[in-house]
Amino acid sequence: MITPLKKLFTVAALALLSASGATAQNYPNGTVTVVVPYSPGSAVDPVGRFIATELQELWGSTVVVDNKPGAGSTIGTAYVAGAPADGSVLLVTSAAFATAPAIYKELPYDPQALLPVAFASQASFVLTGGANVKANTMAELIEEAKERKLFLATAGLGSSTHFAGELITAAAGIEAEPVHYKGGTESLVDLMAGRADIYVGTTVGIGSNIAAGQVKGFAVLGDRRADSIPDVPTTAELGIEGANVAFWLGVFAPKGLPDDIAQKINADVTKILSSEKAKEFLRKTDSVHLPMSPAEFKEMVDSEVALWKKLADERGIEAQ
């Protein structure tokens, strides 16, 4: 016999299930804000805007971009971490999401409060040399590092260029003292002027300088040569192990987002980034899209968080 109280609970449960299904089917049912935790014109901003524009067209619903830069992307990230977990606020951020927990003892958010939803794109890192570097190959650079002290320019303490630089120098057995700048532009200026020796940047950020002969390209991190600098070998080709990382961008949402909505966002982002229009757009930034499920993307992010924490411990990297 079903008591009135049990009947009430049953009806409520069915209503909840129905509402959950309707939410996924009707998503989005209002404006969606895509937060980019960097300034307009940054490397992340164009991709965030492309995704927002294409999702708006696909969904037939308003999708706006809100730039919230500051504190190495942590301000915008913290904002999304505290937003409602209903898909109304999304985050498009970079690999700095994985390096931040390794460098900051206290973050203004819990990294576990954000759910990796969709992988967007990745560009390769490349180890470069400046005007004062005599070496022209990776083997020669390793020998030069044994003869004199090298200075490793970075786009900032704890930045992805800093961690990638620490990773490749450690893997290649190169000793280099990090010198932290306010950004990649400042690093590149001093690299070309000979005030810094080596720098690890993205191929989209420094590939044209290598192609123009303004800086030397020694190794692309990973196992795929970059289209913009096809003559630069990969670390895999050079036999340097443990340096297969890339500069990636992805879509995150507040933890607690219903799985069906997460799957829908993932499917739609994957659809638009797999189009010929997106491929051409990404090709201009020397980037590629790799389809991943939310679970696969989360596994990748968790793996990188562990990698960078381990590297930070081994190299004594911490916020000053």
Side-chain angles (χ1 to χ4, degrees):
M1 179 178 177
I2 300 178
T3 65
L5 184 58
K6 287 184 177 180
K7 182 176 181 181
L8 179 61
F9 282 144
T10 302
V11 171
L14 290 174
L16 182 61
L17 288 172
S18 176
S20 175
T23 300
Q25 293 170 8
N26 297 334
Y27 177 82
N29 57 7
T31 299
V32 174
T33 299
V34 173
V35 173
V36 175
Y38 298 93
S39 301
S42 65
V44 181
D45 190 59
V47 177
R49 291 183 181 277
F50 182 88
I51 291 173
T53 299
E54 295 300 306
L55 285 178
Q56 177 169 279
E57 183 175 339
L58 179 64
W59 290 340
S61 185
T62 302
V63 181
V64 299
V65 173
D66 184 7
N67 292 91
K68 291 186 178 297
S73 79
T74 61
I75 290 177
T77 303
Y79 174 84
V80 178
D86 57 5
S88 62
V89 179
L90 302 175
L91 173 74
V92 174
T93 192
S94 71
F97 181 86
T99 60
I103 189 68
Y104 297 110
K105 292 182 179 179
E106 292 186 8
L107 286 168
Y109 61 90
D110 179 359
Q112 295 301 315
L114 285 151
L115 177 71
V117 175
F119 185 89
S121 64
Q122 75 172 36
S124 299
F125 282 119
V126 57
L127 173 63
T128 64
N132 277 350
V133 175
K134 298 178 181 179
N136 291 305
T137 67
M138 190 67 193
E140 291 175 356
L141 180 65
I142 293 172
E143 289 303 311
E144 186 170 341
K146 296 176 182 178
E147 299 170 0
R148 70 180 184 92
K149 186 176 185 177
L150 296 181
F151 291 96
L152 168 69
T154 83
L157 175 66
S159 65
S160 55
T161 67
H162 177 202
F163 274 89
E166 294 272 9
L167 187 69
I168 179 61
T169 52
I174 294 174
E175 290 294 330
E177 181 177 333
V179 180
H180 306 299
Y181 292 81
K182 292 182 179 179
T185 300
E186 292 82 356
S187 299
L188 181 56
V189 168
D190 270 18
L191 191 70
M192 292 191 292
R195 291 186 288 270
D197 295 309
I198 56 176
Y199 170 67
V200 176
T202 62
T203 51
V204 60
I206 204 169
S208 60
N209 301 99
I210 296 173
Q214 296 171 319
V215 295
K216 300 175 182 179
F218 292 115
V220 173
L221 278 62
D223 54 11
R224 185 183 72 88
R225 290 200 180 199
D227 293 339
S228 61
I229 44 173
D231 294 333
V232 179
T234 66
T235 51
E237 292 175 72
L238 295 169
I240 299 173
E241 299 180 354
N244 192 354
V245 292
F247 179 76
W248 53 263
L249 306 179
V251 180
F252 292 74
K255 186 177 181 180
L257 181 72
D259 183 64
D260 46 4
I261 295 181
Q263 294 293 343
K264 174 177 173 53
I265 295 172
N266 178 276
D268 290 345
V269 169
T270 300
K271 179 179 180 179
I272 64 176
L273 291 179
S274 298
S275 68
E276 288 303 317
K277 179 180 180 180
K279 289 178 182 178
E280 180 60 29
F281 168 76
L282 292 174
R283 194 174 295 119
K284 293 176 181 178
T285 63
D286 210 15
S287 303
V288 295
H289 168 64
L290 303 175
M292 291 185 191
S293 68
E296 290 170 333
F297 184 31
K298 184 180 186 306
E299 182 179 356
M300 189 204 82
V301 172
D302 290 345
S303 174
E304 284 211 2
V305 168
L307 169 67
W308 299 133
K309 281 186 175 181
K310 181 174 182 291
L311 183 70
D313 289 341
E314 293 174 346
R315 309 284 284 188
I317 304 170
E318 60 181 17
Q320 297 175 346

